[in-house]
Amino acid sequence: MSNTLKVLFGLAPLAAAFPASVLEAVKFHPELQARADNILQERQAGAAAAQAIFEPVPIFNAAEQYVNVSAGSGHEYVAPGPNDLRGPCPGLNAFANHGFLPHSGYATIQQFIDTTEEVVGMGTDLAAFLAVLGAAVDGDGLSWSIGGTPGPGIGGPLSGLGNGLSGSHNKYESDASPTRPDLYEAGNDYKTVAKQFEQLISASPGGQVTLESLTAFRSQRFDTQIANNPYFFNGPFTGVAVQPAAYTFIYRFMANHSAEAPYGYLSYDTIKSWFGITGNQGSYVAHQGQEKIPDNWYKRALAYPYSIPYFASDLLNAALLHPKFLNVGGNLGKTNTFTGVDVTNLTGGVYNAGDLLKGNNAACFAYQFAAQAKPDVALSVFNLLNQALGSVLSVLGCPQLQHVDDAQLQMFPGYQKSTQAGITK
Ligand code: HEM
Ligand SMILES: *[C@@H]1O[C@H](CO)[C@@H](O)[C@H](O)[C@H]1NC(C)=O
Ligand SMILES: *[C@@H]1O[C@H](CO)[C@@H](O)[C@H](O)[C@H]1NC(C)=O
Ligand SMILES: *[C@@H]1O[C@H](CO)[C@@H](O)[C@H](O)[C@H]1NC(C)=O
């Protein structure tokens, strides 16, 4: 047993049930560090640079990559019922609709890790981080809901704890999402907006959605929210790390793979299915909570999971194209009043704004702020997250953040409103 493992098990009574795969995933991996360092040299080349590092030799194996959701597979689509929880994440909604996750939409850390690896090829490190964070800030420390607060009858005795993904605005759920609206603009943060899907497709000409088209669309959404939402807030974790995931996951996890397109080809029909959209361009219709894994769909190559260093590389590439993505700050209660914070002040001098575009600094910065969110659970459980986080940070070679001074964030009403609602720190 490694020291990390002992520390983790020693922390809380609940830790006995903490999945071994999480502990395995968050161990320090020097080879990942070396690859993460390469990103620095390759970064000018854009999205393809990350592929060249993380998917050096194109691989396709039909039998291994096929995800069978046809009748009789045990994973055919079943629409959610009135008591099933569905929320802002189309991937997790689809997993629940196909019974890869419990149909209720309430699952354990281990179930989230297993399904994200198995169905779409997420790296164990990224899956573990996302799932543990969900349990800490949206759930009871072990389980959490992909929608709102679970009602009686769903999950175990602790299941009433935690507000789920939909209830985690500024902790997990972020502004300027691809197809979901901003909470303080629309009154909800999880319903698919057909018009936004329409805009995503318009930003992606030629019958396919690419990482480049998604990055361009993200830039457009970012500007639109500054111009339309007086409470737009680009948080240190939610803006810097969750927002990019909401875009890169679309291509990296939803694209169909084949011998001709081993990195993935994302057609309009495939993305429509994953987002529960029907109709044609100009008249798309959104069906809430009805996200579907397409028939005859092939996931990414098992040998090339989408890991934390891979994601950090995509995050950095997008920010090199659009440095505004790393501007932590928000509107001041009126549209077009976006004001950035002083990153040096926020981090007690560890980072400055220019540093964030270097190496893994942006990812490091964001992950460190993930631990600043107010947990829904006891602090002892939250400490598990910090342990898991510590290992993520060492994989990325992050500088130590000693002190966080978030007094500046109080000037943003979008941040304040979620603080008052008891949502965030
Ligand atoms: C345990 C794993 C996961 C967690 C904790 C998670 C969490 C979240 C959260 C909190 C959001 C809201 C972000 C926002 O406000 O923009 C979100 C959105 C999103 N997630 Fe996930 N997710 C997970 C796995 C996945 C997977 C496997 C996929 C793809 C198959 C996926 C695709 C997306 C997309 C595309 C969005 C943006 C939706 C939109 O606004 O259009 N996620 N996820
Ligand atoms: C998918 O599952 C169905 C039902 O079990 C089965 O008949 C079919 O052969 C499977 N397809 C493949 C390609 O394995
Ligand atoms: C995925 O690609 C294969 C090979 O081109 C194709 O047969 C299959 O229909 C595609 N699936 C989807 C969902 O587009
Ligand atoms: C950050 O700025 C606030 C006021 O905006 C100030 O009170 C605080 O002392 C500063 N912190 C650091 C570490 O410089």
Side-chain angles (χ1 to χ4, degrees), residues 1 29 40 55 59 74 87 106 125 133 152 169 179 188 208 212 250 258 284 287 310 329 331 349 359 373 392 413:
M1 224 191 217
H29 293 291
L40 247 183
E55 305 190 46
I59 291 177
Y106 184 80
D125 54 351
L133 184 62
H169 184 58
T179 70
N188 83 81
Q208 64 169 318
E212 286 73 18
I250 295 175
S258 62
Y284 286 130
H287 303 273
Y310 199 157
N331 275 342
V392 167

Short mmCIF file of all heavy atoms in Angstrom, two decimals, residues 1 29 40 55 59 74 87 106 125 133 152 169 179 188 208 212 250 258 284 287 310 329 331 349 359 373 392 413:
data_model
loop_
_atom_site.label_atom_id
_atom_site.label_comp_id
_atom_site.label_asym_id
_atom_site.label_seq_id
_atom_site.Cartn_x
_atom_site.Cartn_y
_atom_site.Cartn_z
N MET A 1 0.84 -1.20 0.00
CA MET A 1 0.00 0.00 0.00
C MET A 1 0.88 1.26 0.00
O MET A 1 1.76 1.41 0.84
CB MET A 1 -0.85 -0.01 1.29
CG MET A 1 -2.28 0.36 1.07
SD MET A 1 -3.09 0.63 2.65
CE MET A 1 -4.70 -0.05 2.32
N HIS A 29 2.30 9.60 -12.00
CA HIS A 29 2.75 8.87 -13.18
C HIS A 29 3.78 9.69 -13.94
O HIS A 29 3.44 10.61 -14.67
CB HIS A 29 1.57 8.58 -14.11
CG HIS A 29 0.57 7.64 -13.53
ND1 HIS A 29 0.84 6.31 -13.32
CD2 HIS A 29 -0.70 7.83 -13.11
CE1 HIS A 29 -0.22 5.72 -12.80
NE2 HIS A 29 -1.16 6.62 -12.64
N LEU A 40 3.94 21.62 -24.09
CA LEU A 40 4.55 22.94 -24.17
C LEU A 40 5.20 23.18 -25.52
O LEU A 40 4.98 24.20 -26.15
CB LEU A 40 5.63 23.02 -23.10
CG LEU A 40 5.40 23.98 -21.96
CD1 LEU A 40 6.61 23.98 -21.05
CD2 LEU A 40 5.13 25.37 -22.49
N GLU A 55 -2.25 10.48 -29.29
CA GLU A 55 -2.71 9.40 -30.17
C GLU A 55 -1.72 9.26 -31.32
O GLU A 55 -2.05 9.46 -32.48
CB GLU A 55 -4.12 9.69 -30.70
CG GLU A 55 -5.14 9.96 -29.60
CD GLU A 55 -6.59 10.01 -30.10
OE1 GLU A 55 -6.98 9.11 -30.87
OE2 GLU A 55 -7.30 10.94 -29.72
N ILE A 59 -5.36 4.25 -34.30
CA ILE A 59 -5.77 2.87 -34.01
C ILE A 59 -7.28 2.77 -34.21
O ILE A 59 -8.01 3.66 -33.79
CB ILE A 59 -5.50 2.51 -32.53
CG1 ILE A 59 -3.99 2.43 -32.26
CG2 ILE A 59 -6.16 1.20 -32.14
CD1 ILE A 59 -3.67 2.17 -30.80
N GLY A 74 -29.40 -5.04 -23.62
CA GLY A 74 -29.46 -4.67 -22.21
C GLY A 74 -29.15 -3.19 -22.03
O GLY A 74 -29.24 -2.65 -20.91
N GLY A 87 -29.95 16.14 -15.92
CA GLY A 87 -29.43 17.48 -15.67
C GLY A 87 -28.65 18.08 -16.81
O GLY A 87 -28.93 17.80 -17.98
N TYR A 106 -28.93 8.59 -10.24
CA TYR A 106 -28.21 8.72 -8.96
C TYR A 106 -27.26 7.53 -8.88
O TYR A 106 -27.68 6.38 -8.96
CB TYR A 106 -29.22 8.68 -7.81
CG TYR A 106 -28.59 8.91 -6.46
CD1 TYR A 106 -28.29 10.19 -6.02
CD2 TYR A 106 -28.30 7.83 -5.62
CE1 TYR A 106 -27.71 10.41 -4.78
CE2 TYR A 106 -27.72 8.05 -4.37
CZ TYR A 106 -27.43 9.33 -3.97
OH TYR A 106 -26.85 9.56 -2.74
N ASP A 125 -7.84 8.76 -14.58
CA ASP A 125 -7.47 9.93 -13.76
C ASP A 125 -8.55 11.00 -13.84
O ASP A 125 -9.02 11.52 -12.82
CB ASP A 125 -6.09 10.48 -14.18
CG ASP A 125 -5.99 10.82 -15.67
OD1 ASP A 125 -6.92 10.48 -16.44
OD2 ASP A 125 -4.98 11.43 -16.06
N LEU A 133 -15.14 14.70 -7.25
CA LEU A 133 -15.60 16.08 -7.05
C LEU A 133 -17.13 16.13 -6.99
O LEU A 133 -17.70 16.82 -6.15
CB LEU A 133 -15.07 16.98 -8.17
CG LEU A 133 -15.42 18.47 -8.01
CD1 LEU A 133 -14.79 19.05 -6.74
CD2 LEU A 133 -14.97 19.27 -9.22
N PRO A 152 -36.95 11.15 -1.84
CA PRO A 152 -36.97 9.91 -1.07
C PRO A 152 -37.14 8.71 -2.01
O PRO A 152 -37.80 8.82 -3.04
CB PRO A 152 -38.20 10.08 -0.17
CG PRO A 152 -38.97 11.23 -0.70
CD PRO A 152 -38.08 12.04 -1.57
N HIS A 169 -24.37 25.35 -9.38
CA HIS A 169 -23.90 26.49 -10.15
C HIS A 169 -22.72 27.18 -9.46
O HIS A 169 -22.75 27.43 -8.26
CB HIS A 169 -25.04 27.49 -10.34
CG HIS A 169 -24.64 28.65 -11.22
ND1 HIS A 169 -24.19 28.48 -12.50
CD2 HIS A 169 -24.61 29.98 -10.97
CE1 HIS A 169 -23.90 29.66 -13.01
NE2 HIS A 169 -24.13 30.59 -12.10
N THR A 179 -25.02 24.25 -24.92
CA THR A 179 -26.46 24.22 -25.24
C THR A 179 -27.35 24.56 -24.05
O THR A 179 -28.55 24.66 -24.21
CB THR A 179 -26.91 22.85 -25.78
OG1 THR A 179 -26.87 21.89 -24.72
CG2 THR A 179 -26.03 22.39 -26.94
N ASN A 188 -32.80 28.53 -15.18
CA ASN A 188 -32.36 27.13 -15.04
C ASN A 188 -31.01 27.00 -15.74
O ASN A 188 -30.66 27.82 -16.59
CB ASN A 188 -33.39 26.16 -15.63
CG ASN A 188 -33.23 26.01 -17.13
OD1 ASN A 188 -32.37 25.27 -17.61
ND2 ASN A 188 -34.04 26.75 -17.89
N GLN A 208 -19.98 18.49 -40.41
CA GLN A 208 -19.35 17.88 -39.23
C GLN A 208 -18.96 18.92 -38.19
O GLN A 208 -18.71 20.08 -38.49
CB GLN A 208 -18.12 17.07 -39.64
CG GLN A 208 -17.01 17.90 -40.24
CD GLN A 208 -15.70 17.12 -40.38
OE1 GLN A 208 -15.31 16.37 -39.49
NE2 GLN A 208 -15.02 17.33 -41.50
N GLU A 212 -12.08 22.34 -33.57
CA GLU A 212 -11.87 23.75 -33.97
C GLU A 212 -13.20 24.49 -34.03
O GLU A 212 -13.31 25.62 -33.55
CB GLU A 212 -11.19 23.83 -35.34
CG GLU A 212 -9.71 23.47 -35.33
CD GLU A 212 -9.44 21.98 -35.15
OE1 GLU A 212 -10.36 21.16 -35.36
OE2 GLU A 212 -8.31 21.64 -34.78
N ILE A 250 -17.47 17.19 -26.27
CA ILE A 250 -18.39 16.93 -27.38
C ILE A 250 -17.64 16.19 -28.49
O ILE A 250 -18.10 15.16 -28.98
CB ILE A 250 -19.01 18.25 -27.91
CG1 ILE A 250 -19.89 18.88 -26.82
CG2 ILE A 250 -19.81 18.01 -29.19
CD1 ILE A 250 -20.46 20.25 -27.19
N SER A 258 -13.82 5.16 -36.68
CA SER A 258 -13.79 4.15 -37.74
C SER A 258 -12.36 4.06 -38.26
O SER A 258 -11.52 4.87 -37.89
CB SER A 258 -14.73 4.57 -38.88
OG SER A 258 -14.27 5.80 -39.43
N TYR A 284 -34.61 22.79 -35.44
CA TYR A 284 -34.27 21.76 -34.45
C TYR A 284 -35.23 21.82 -33.27
O TYR A 284 -35.69 22.91 -32.88
CB TYR A 284 -32.85 21.96 -33.93
CG TYR A 284 -31.76 21.56 -34.90
CD1 TYR A 284 -30.71 22.43 -35.20
CD2 TYR A 284 -31.77 20.31 -35.52
CE1 TYR A 284 -29.71 22.07 -36.08
CE2 TYR A 284 -30.77 19.94 -36.40
CZ TYR A 284 -29.74 20.82 -36.68
OH TYR A 284 -28.75 20.46 -37.55
N HIS A 287 -35.43 17.72 -26.90
CA HIS A 287 -36.24 16.85 -26.05
C HIS A 287 -35.50 16.67 -24.72
O HIS A 287 -34.48 15.97 -24.67
CB HIS A 287 -36.49 15.51 -26.75
CG HIS A 287 -37.14 15.68 -28.09
ND1 HIS A 287 -38.50 15.76 -28.24
CD2 HIS A 287 -36.61 15.86 -29.32
CE1 HIS A 287 -38.79 15.94 -29.53
NE2 HIS A 287 -37.66 16.02 -30.20
N TYR A 310 -4.17 15.00 -21.42
CA TYR A 310 -4.74 15.22 -22.77
C TYR A 310 -5.71 16.40 -22.71
O TYR A 310 -5.64 17.33 -23.52
CB TYR A 310 -5.45 13.94 -23.22
CG TYR A 310 -5.71 13.80 -24.71
CD1 TYR A 310 -5.88 12.54 -25.28
CD2 TYR A 310 -5.77 14.91 -25.56
CE1 TYR A 310 -6.12 12.37 -26.64
CE2 TYR A 310 -6.01 14.75 -26.92
CZ TYR A 310 -6.19 13.49 -27.46
OH TYR A 310 -6.43 13.32 -28.80
N GLY A 329 -13.36 36.38 -13.92
CA GLY A 329 -14.07 37.62 -13.62
C GLY A 329 -15.49 37.53 -14.09
O GLY A 329 -16.01 36.43 -14.25
N ASN A 331 -19.35 40.02 -15.37
CA ASN A 331 -20.06 41.28 -15.52
C ASN A 331 -20.41 41.82 -14.14
O ASN A 331 -20.52 41.06 -13.17
CB ASN A 331 -21.34 41.08 -16.35
CG ASN A 331 -21.08 41.14 -17.85
OD1 ASN A 331 -20.04 41.64 -18.30
ND2 ASN A 331 -22.02 40.64 -18.63
N GLY A 349 0.17 35.40 -5.14
CA GLY A 349 1.43 35.62 -5.85
C GLY A 349 1.99 34.40 -6.58
O GLY A 349 3.03 34.49 -7.23
N GLY A 359 2.70 26.18 -20.03
CA GLY A 359 2.65 24.79 -19.56
C GLY A 359 1.28 24.40 -19.05
O GLY A 359 0.27 24.68 -19.67
N ALA A 373 -14.48 25.17 -3.57
CA ALA A 373 -15.94 25.14 -3.51
C ALA A 373 -16.39 24.60 -2.17
O ALA A 373 -15.73 23.76 -1.57
CB ALA A 373 -16.49 24.27 -4.63
N VAL A 392 -3.46 14.74 -8.52
CA VAL A 392 -3.66 15.31 -9.86
C VAL A 392 -2.64 16.42 -10.09
O VAL A 392 -1.99 16.52 -11.13
CB VAL A 392 -5.08 15.90 -10.00
CG1 VAL A 392 -5.19 16.75 -11.26
CG2 VAL A 392 -6.12 14.79 -10.02
N PRO A 413 -21.74 40.10 -9.02
CA PRO A 413 -23.04 39.66 -8.54
C PRO A 413 -23.36 38.21 -8.91
O PRO A 413 -24.05 37.52 -8.17
CB PRO A 413 -24.03 40.63 -9.19
CG PRO A 413 -23.28 41.36 -10.24
CD PRO A 413 -21.83 41.27 -9.90
#
